[in-house]
Amino acid sequence: MGLLLSIIVFGIVGLVTGIGNAVLWVLDLISEALNNKITFSVVRDIRNAAMKKIQILPLSYIDSKPAGETVSRIISDADQFAEGLLLGFTQFFNGIMTIIGTLVFMFISKG
């Protein structure tokens, strides 16, 4: 009787773990899609604003810089900003999911 109970308990634990992993996988996909959408829309807006600013710069400023330096710098800075946003959002959402998962596990274990 004890062996059968152990098998049932381990089966239930395995099933709950599998379901939990599947839910986390789906939530990870959703958060990744949201991260990408938010990050790239912010970076697009930054690039558009920078290009509008370049268009109103005086010609003396543009002539004083080597060809392509200003645009190259805008692109480089925007890419670095995008990488930072992606990393920050990823860590933020992973932290939130970890806290929620821990709370759920604590309430399930308590009951």
Side-chain angles (χ1 to χ4, degrees), residues 6-109:
S6 295
I7 292 172
I8 292 172
V9 168
F10 283 122
I12 292 172
V13 168
L15 182 63
V16 169
T17 302
I19 291 171
N21 284 335
V23 168
L24 287 177
W25 178 71
V26 169
L27 290 174
D28 190 42
L29 287 176
I30 292 169
S31 71
E32 186 176 327
L34 287 174
N35 288 345
N36 289 337
K37 183 175 179 149
I38 292 169
T39 298
F40 292 118
S41 67
V42 167
V43 171
R44 182 194 63 227
D45 293 345
I46 289 172
R47 285 183 178 159
N48 287 339
M51 289 302 167
K52 286 180 184 176
K53 178 67 177 177
I54 287 175
Q55 291 173 352
I56 62 171
L57 286 174
L59 287 177
S60 60
Y61 175 81
I62 295 172
D63 287 340
S64 69
K65 302 290 180 188
E69 178 184 345
T70 305
V71 174
S72 175
R73 190 161 176 193
I74 290 170
I75 291 170
S76 173
D77 289 351
D79 285 344
Q80 287 180 356
F81 188 72
E83 289 176 18
L85 279 177
L86 280 173
L87 182 63
F89 283 139
T90 301
Q91 289 179 349
F92 176 73
F93 285 127
N94 284 342
I96 295 288
M97 289 301 128
T98 301
I99 291 169
I100 291 171
T102 302
L103 291 173
V104 167
F105 183 73
M106 287 171 54
F107 286 121
I108 289 173
S109 297

